């Protein structure tokens, strides 16, 4: 009996070892502490969605890696979601959060971001974007600005890839590309789509209208009676306007979304075939330097871009005596931009630098503003003859050709 008892004891131990080796035990719950919020499935094989908080509950579907969902209740390692995309369609249920990654608490904000000119765009005028887009928690990775017409058709778009916590819209690549004043009259929507590096996204839509100017009448000179010399200057401005109004002062003759690039660099423009065919050969060293508002390194002297580059060419064209002529200018002064000062100090053919931001060839004035020939007022380096209101700028620096009679 003792031998049999010992044999049975040994047999029991062997059987117990076999049981221990062949039995699968449930792993203890993760020590991680979970909370409600947005999660993304991170396991390569996905995760099951169950009817209850535990593996004993039936599986309703499987969510693949990369699927995002919102957790509204937590029980241990299990999170409840009202809606998650599964291979069986959208389901509600419980998901093991051990196989998921919680999204960081990233927040995208739009600070002082508004529609161009508070929603009232005038045809033919240029407007800047305003405000700042910022992100806390994860840097911004991309921003897209889109313009849609009343039929929801996209008519303008610009995307930028960045790695920054904030993005100022004014004078940005998006600002340069979206030229609202060139749109046809009608109703539009400006939409921003922002994405961060952690996958967070946000949009903002703004409505605006494009309308015709209230007063489209061409202003007549009110400050002086045109002398014979003034009439000759006006004739040359008219010729230049007839040749280039509505055209692009760029090397390839096409629209340009940037204000300082190789295409709108006037040293390149004057070497282009279209320019040489129209105006002949010329060097930028023959163009004037407009004193008092910049340095050559900033592109404000004879080797200039966009509005400044065109104004220097136009001044040369108006006051040259031949294609070999060198035209210089002198600084008349800087004055408050109003009817009284313009009538007193400006003369037809002068270069006006407005608020150190925009250069024009002055033609005439009235009580509301001045008539000018310029480039890039409506952006994209387009040449136009149009009126500028006194309310648009505060200062005007006047430069005048030294050989003006």
């Amino acid at each position: 009996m003792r031998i049999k008892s010992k044999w049975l004891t040994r047999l029991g131990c062997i059987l117990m070892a076999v049981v221990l080796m062949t039995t699968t035990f449930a792993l203890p719950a993760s020590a991680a502490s979970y909370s409600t919020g947005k999660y993304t499935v991170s396991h390569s094989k996905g995760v099951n969605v169950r009817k209850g908080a535990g593996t004993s509950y039936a599986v309703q579907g499987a969510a693949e890696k990369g699927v995002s969902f919102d957790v509204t209740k937590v029980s241990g390692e299990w999170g409840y979601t009202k809606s998650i995309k599964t291979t069986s369609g959208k389901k509600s249920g419980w998901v093991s959060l051990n196989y998921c990654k919680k999204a960081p608490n990233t927040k995208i904000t739009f600070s002082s971001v508004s529609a161009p000119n508070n929603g009232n765009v005038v045809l033919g005028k240029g407007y800047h974007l305003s405000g700042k887009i910022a992100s806390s928690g994860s840097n911004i990775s991309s921003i897209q600005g889109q313009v849609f017409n009343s039929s929801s058709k996209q008519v303008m778009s610009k995307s930028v890839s960045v790695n920054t916590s904030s993005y100022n819209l004014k004078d940005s690549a998006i600002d340069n590309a979206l030229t609202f004043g060139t749109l046809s009259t009608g109703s539009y929507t400006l939409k921003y789509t922002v994405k961060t590096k952690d996958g967070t996204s946000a949009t903002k839509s703004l409505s605006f209208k494009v309308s015709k100017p209230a007063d489209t009448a061409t202003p007549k000179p009110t400050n002086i009676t045109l002398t014979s010399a003034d009439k000759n200057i006006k004739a040359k401005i008219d010729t230049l306007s007839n040749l280039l109004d509505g055209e692009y002062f760029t090397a390839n003759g096409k629209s340009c979304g940037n204000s300082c690039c190789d295409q709108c660099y006037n040293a390149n423009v004057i070497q282009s075939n279209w320019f040489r065919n129209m105006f002949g050969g010329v060097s930028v060293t023959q163009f004037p330097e407009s004193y008092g508002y910049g340095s050559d390194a900033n592109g404000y002297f004879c080797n200039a871009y966009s509005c400044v580059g065109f104004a220097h060419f136009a001044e040369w064209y108006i006051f040259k005596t031949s294609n070999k002529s060198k035209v210089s200018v002198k600084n008349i002064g800087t004055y408050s931009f109003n009817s009284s000062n313009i009538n007193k100090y400006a003369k037809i053919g002068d270069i006006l630098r407005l608020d150190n931001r925009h250069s024009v060839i002055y033609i005439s004035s009235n009580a509301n503003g001045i008539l000018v020939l310029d480039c890039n007022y409506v952006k994209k380096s387009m040449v136009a003859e149009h009126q500028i209101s006194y309310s648009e700028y505060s200062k005007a620096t006047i430069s005048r050709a030294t050989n003006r009679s």
Side-chain angles (χ1 to χ4, degrees), residues 105-351:
N105 187 26
T106 297
K107 185 178 181 181
I108 298 171
T109 57
F110 298 85
S111 177
S112 301
V113 176
S114 60
N117 201 37
N118 294 317
N120 298 305
V121 172
V122 177
L123 184 66
K125 290 193 174 185
Y127 298 96
H128 281 291
L129 298 175
S130 62
K132 181 174 70 174
I133 300 172
S135 172
S136 60
S138 178
N139 274 2
I140 298 169
S141 59
S142 67
I143 303 174
Q144 182 180 29
Q146 297 168 284
V147 177
F148 299 90
N149 62 17
S150 56
S151 300
S152 299
K153 179 182 178 181
Q154 179 181 289
V155 293
M156 285 184 181
S157 178
K158 177 64 178 179
S159 298
V160 293
S161 295
V162 296
N163 183 13
T164 181
S165 60
S166 64
Y167 187 85
N168 289 312
L169 290 166
K170 186 176 180 181
D171 294 323
S172 65
I174 297 176
D175 189 13
N176 287 330
L178 303 183
T179 52
F180 305 104
T182 62
L183 294 167
S184 303
T185 56
S187 298
Y188 296 87
T189 299
L190 169 61
K191 180 181 179 181
Y192 293 107
T193 301
V194 184
K195 294 182 179 179
T196 61
K197 298 183 79 66
D198 67 8
T200 303
S201 63
T203 62
K204 186 176 183 67
S205 296
L206 302 159
S207 298
F208 67 95
K209 291 183 178 180
V210 178
S211 57
K212 292 182 179 180
D215 179 13
T216 58
T218 300
K220 303 298 181 182
T222 58
N223 50 342
I224 57 171
T225 301
L226 290 178
T227 64
S228 177
D230 291 336
K231 289 178 180 178
N232 289 335
I233 294 171
K234 179 66 164 60
K236 290 186 178 181
I237 294 175
D238 288 343
T239 299
L240 201 56
S241 180
N242 290 333
L243 289 171
L244 295 179
D245 191 5
E247 303 295 332
Y248 298 100
F249 195 70
T250 56
N252 60 11
K254 298 180 180 179
S255 63
C256 178
N258 300 311
S259 59
C260 290
C261 71
D262 289 343
Q263 288 300 321
C264 51
Y265 181 42
N266 69 0
N268 293 335
V269 174
I270 66 173
Q271 296 298 321
S272 64
N273 289 333
W274 75 262
F275 183 95
R276 287 180 170 271
N277 290 336
M278 191 175 291
F279 300 105
V282 64
S283 168
V284 290
T285 59
Q286 297 167 244
F287 296 171
E289 293 185 348
S290 297
Y291 300 107
Y293 53 77
S295 66
D296 194 53
N298 293 325
Y300 287 149
F301 285 162
C302 56
N303 295 338
Y305 302 84
S306 303
C307 65
V308 182
F310 173 78
H312 290 189
F313 153 71
E315 189 77 353
W316 169 83
Y317 177 85
I318 295 165
F319 292 100
K320 70 181 177 70
T321 55
S322 73
N323 267 31
K324 294 183 179 180
S325 299
K326 160 69 178 176
V327 173
S328 300
V329 296
K330 59 184 177 181
N331 182 32
I332 303 302
T334 300
Y335 309 96
S336 295
F337 187 48
N338 55 49
S339 177
S340 176
N341 286 333
I342 292 299
N343 288 342
K344 183 176 181 180
Y345 298 110
K347 291 185 177 182
I348 185 171
D350 286 349
I351 297 177

Side-chain angles (χ1 to χ4, degrees), residues 61-131:
E64 298 177 333
K65 182 180 179 180
V67 172
S68 296
F69 58 97
D70 291 313
V71 171
T72 56
K73 290 188 292 186
V74 173
S75 177
E77 70 173 84
W78 296 88
Y80 175 79
T81 178
K82 293 180 179 179
S83 178
I84 185 172
K85 181 182 177 182
T86 73
T87 53
S88 304
K90 286 191 175 181
K91 301 289 183 179
S92 61
W94 292 83
V95 176
S96 174
L97 299 180
N98 287 340
Y99 303 99
C100 304
K101 181 179 179 181
K102 188 174 184 182
N105 187 26
T106 297
K107 185 178 181 181
I108 298 171
T109 57
F110 298 85
S111 177
S112 301
V113 176
S114 60
N117 201 37
N118 294 317
N120 298 305
V121 172
V122 177
L123 184 66
K125 290 193 174 185
Y127 298 96
H128 281 291
L129 298 175
S130 62

